[in-house]
Amino acid sequence: MRRLIGELQKQLKYQIIGPFLLLAIVVAIVGLTIVAFFLARQQQDRFDNELAAATRTVSDALLAQEQANLSFLREVAFAQRNESINAPAVADAFYENNVEGLRLALEPFFLQGTRRSDVRLDRLMAFDRNGRTIVDFERPPLAGEETYITHDSIDLSSAWFTSRILNGEADERGDKYAGLIQFSNTQTLYLATIAPVRRGNEVVGGLIVAIRIDNLLNTVVQQSRLDGIILYDQEGNLIATTFSSQVRPAPLRQELVSQVKANPDPYGQTLFTIETINGVEYQFAYVPLTIRGGRAGIMATARTREEVLLTWNNISPLLALITFSLGLGIAVLGLWVARRITRPLEVLAETASAVVNGDLQRRASVNTQNEIGVLAQQFNRMTEYLIELLAQVRAEARQRTAIVESITDGIIFIDVHGEIRSINRATRHLLGLHDDTALPRRLSDLPLKPLTEGIPGFGDQRAQNLYTLGSYIVRLSVEDVREDDGHLLGYVAVLQDLTEEVMVDRAKTNFIGTISHELRTPLTVIRGNADLLARGLAGPLEDEQKSFVEAIRLQANNMTNLISNVITIANLDSGSLKSTLEPIEVQRPLEDAIWQMQGQIKAKGLRLNVEIPRKLPMVLADFDHVRTITLQLLDNARRYTSAGTITVRAIPQPDVLKIEVSDTGRGIPSNLHQQIFERFFRGDGTNEGINSGERGIGLGLAICKQLIERLGGTIGVESTPGQGSTFFFTLRYADDTATPEKPATGLESAA
C-alpha cells in the first residue's frame, strides 16, 4: 500500500487532482469531526465530573471511617465496669495490669464492632505502658461475625505512635492518631486509629482499632460505582490496590507525583490520566490521600472509558462513508482531466530520469507549441551545458584530492551529522588503516585518549587538546566548514603529530628532576653540618664565625626549598605526582604547615595569628597537597613582609571552605594579580623582598595553582599596594561529589 501511494505521488496527474480531492475530503471530515468532537467532549466532561465526584465520595468515606473509629475508640476507652459479665472498667484493667479482665471487657466491644456497618472492625488491640500488646483480637478474612482469633504479644515500642500515645502527647489535631500500619506479625495493611486510655490524668495504656485496607477499599469501590482504587505513598510507590495481583499497577511517575503535590485545589481541579491495564483503558483521578487531616500519600480512583469511546465508535463509520463517496467522485473526474495535461510532462520526466541515471545522450521529444514544449527545448540545452560542467568539476575535484592527500597532517572531514566522510593518507597512517579498510563512523570512534600527564609547556601556556592515538601523541583541532553565506557544511579535524616534541619535553623534565634530586643530597649535608656548627657541637664559634655559619645555613635552606619546588614542578609535568582525594580534617595539614613555618616567621620578628575554628566540616582533598599549598603561602608571606603580622584563617562558606593567608607587607598592584601565579614570575622589582637574599625563582604560587586545581578548588589574591595581601584558596566539602569541570574540546563538540 505504501509503495502504491508513493507511485501515485510521483505522477503529476494525481498531484493536480489531489488538492481538490483533499479539499473536499477535509471539508467533510472537519464538519463531521467538529460534531463528533463536541459530542465526545460533552461525554468526556460528564465522565470527568462523575469520576471527580466518585473520588470525593471515596475521600469522604475514608474520613467517615476515621471518625467512626474515633467514636468507637471513645466508647471502648471510657467503658465502665460490666457487672453482667463481671468485667472491670477498661482503664482499671490497664492500671492493674489485669490482662484477663481486659480481655473480658474488650471482647464484647470487638464482637459489636465487627457487626456495626459504620465501624467494620477487623482488629482490636491493647498495649501496655511498655509498648507490648496484651490483648489482640482479629476477625480472619471471610470469617463469620462471631469468629475471631487472638494473636501473641508483639512489641510496638518502636512504632511511630507508641511514645506519643504513652506520653500523652497532643498536637493541633488532638491526642489520638491514625495512619496506614502493617504490624510485625502479619503482612496485612490496616487503616488504624490509636487512642490513649487514661485513668484520671494518667495514661495507663493504648487502644488500636484497625480495618483491613483491602476490605475497606473494595467496599468503597462497590458504593461509589468505581472500577478500582489504588493507594500510593508520598514517593509514588504502590501500597494498596483493588486490582488483582495479575494486573498490579506500576509505581507513579515522579512528574505525576510532583503535579499532585503541587495542585492547590485537588478536588476543584482534579488531575486525570489515561492508563491501560491488562488491555483495558482506564481513566484515573489523583488526589491526596488524607488521614487525620494530613497528607499520607496519593489516592487514585479509576473507571473504564467504555462510555467515552462509544460515542466516537458510533460516528466513525458515517464519517468514513461520506468521505469515501466524495473522494471517489472527485477522483474519477479529475483523472480524466489530468490525463490530457500531463502526458507531455511524463515524456519530459522520463527524459530527465534517463539523464540523471547516466544516459547523457537522451533528449526530450515533445512537439507541442505551448509552455511545455518550450520547457523541453530548454531542458535539452541544459543537458548539453551539464556535460561540459561535469567534466570541469571532476578535474577540479581530482586536484583538490591530490592537495589534501599530500598534507603531512591528518585531515578528517565530518558532515553536519557528525559522521566521517573522508580522511587523507596521513590520517590512515596515524590510525594504521589500509586503503581498503572501512572508515570509522564518527570522530568519537577514533581511539583518542586525552593526554592528562606529561603535557609539555608551562602553566597557562601548556599545550592544549593533546591526545594519545596508539603510539602517537597528536593535537586535535576542529573547525567549522562554512560557505560564503555562513551555511554550515560540516567540520574539519586536523591531527598534528607531536610525538617527537612531547618526547623531547618529557626528556627535559626528567633531566631537570634528576639534576634537582642530585643537588638536594649535598645541600642536605651542607645544611646539616651548618646546623651542627651553629649549635656548637664541633666546638665554640666566634661571633664572626657564627654569622658565616648562619649565612651558610640560610642559603642552604633557600636552595633546598628552591630545589624542592623544581622537583615538584617536574613531578607535576611528568605526571608522577599523584593526588588522592579523600575526606580529611583540614585542621591537620594547616597545623602541620603552621608548625613548620612558625620558627622562621618568629625569627624574622613577625607575629603569627591563627584563626582556625576547632570544628570545621570535612573537605575532599589530598592531605599533602593542602599542607604544601599552605607552606608555600606562608613562606611567600614571610619573604615579602618585613614587619607586622601574618594571619591564617579558615572561613566556612555555603559551598566551599575558604582558607586565607594574610600579611601586612607592601601589597601587590592589581595588574599583577593574575601574573603572579605563572611560573618564574617574581614581580617588577618594586615589591619588597624582590631583591632580598631570600629571593625565589617564582615557582611557589604556580605550584599552589596547579595543586589546588587538581583538588577542584580555586586560588586567588586580594591586595592593595601599601595595605598588605590576602592569598586564599577554596576546598570542596566532603559531601560534594561533583568533579571539576573541564573545558570542551573539539573531540566532544564534533562527536
Side-chain angles (χ1 to χ4, degrees), residues 139 340 378 403 467 638 702:
R139 182 179 64 176
R340 302 186 59 182
Q378 297 300 323
I403 294 173
Y467 298 85
R638 179 190 64 83

Side-chain angles (χ1 to χ4, degrees), residues 465-675:
N465 299 338
L466 293 186
Y467 298 85
T468 59
L469 182 60
S471 60
Y472 298 99
I473 298 176
V474 299
R475 174 188 282 121
L476 173 64
S477 302
V478 180
E479 295 293 339
D480 296 346
V481 178
R482 296 183 180 274
E483 294 181 318
D484 294 339
D485 59 358
H487 176 68
L488 181 64
L489 296 178
Y491 309 90
V492 61
V494 179
L495 298 175
Q496 184 180 3
D497 185 4
L498 297 179
T499 306
E500 294 184 4
E501 289 82 349
V502 173
M503 293 300 103
V504 170
D505 185 87
R506 289 179 177 175
K508 175 204 67 177
T509 300
N510 292 336
F511 175 75
I512 293 174
T514 302
I515 293 299
S516 299
H517 276 288
E518 294 299 325
L519 287 175
R520 187 158 59 176
T521 300
L523 282 174
T524 302
V525 176
I526 295 172
R527 186 176 59 181
N529 291 333
D531 287 338
L532 294 176
L533 292 173
R535 296 176 185 176
L537 297 181
L541 299 177
E542 297 179 359
D543 292 341
E544 186 175 3
Q545 291 174 330
K546 288 182 180 180
S547 64
F548 292 158
V549 171
E550 180 62 23
I552 293 173
R553 188 185 64 81
L554 178 61
Q555 293 303 323
N557 284 334
N558 288 339
M559 283 298 297
T560 301
N561 292 335
L562 186 149
I563 291 174
S564 296
N565 286 344
V566 171
I567 292 174
T568 301
I569 286 293
N571 291 338
L572 284 169
D573 287 345
S574 65
S576 60
L577 183 64
K578 303 301 181 183
S579 300
T580 302
L581 291 181
E582 58 184 358
I584 66 170
E585 296 179 352
V586 76
Q587 296 95 327
R588 292 178 52 211
L590 294 180
E591 290 171 355
D592 282 1
I594 292 170
W595 181 82
Q596 294 183 45
M597 290 298 303
Q598 61 183 357
Q600 300 180 44
I601 293 174
K602 291 180 180 178
K604 195 173 180 180
L606 303 175
R607 293 188 303 275
L608 177 62
N609 291 338
V610 180
E611 301 176 5
I612 302 177
R614 292 185 177 180
K615 293 185 178 180
L616 288 173
M618 300 281 283
V619 297
L620 191 65
D622 184 290
F623 183 96
D624 293 333
H625 289 2
V626 175
R627 179 175 56 191
T628 300
I629 295 168
T630 308
L631 279 170
Q632 294 287 359
L633 295 181
L634 284 171
D635 185 61
N636 188 72
R638 179 190 64 83
R639 290 173 183 269
Y640 294 96
T641 303
S642 58
T645 304
I646 296 176
T647 303
V648 181
R649 301 185 186 89
I651 307 172
Q653 295 186 339
D655 299 323
V656 294
L657 180 66
K658 185 177 183 181
I659 310 298
E660 292 185 351
V661 177
S662 301
D663 60 56
T664 56
R666 295 181 58 184
I668 304 170
S670 59
N671 62 322
L672 300 181
H673 285 186
Q674 295 297 325
Q675 299 179 47

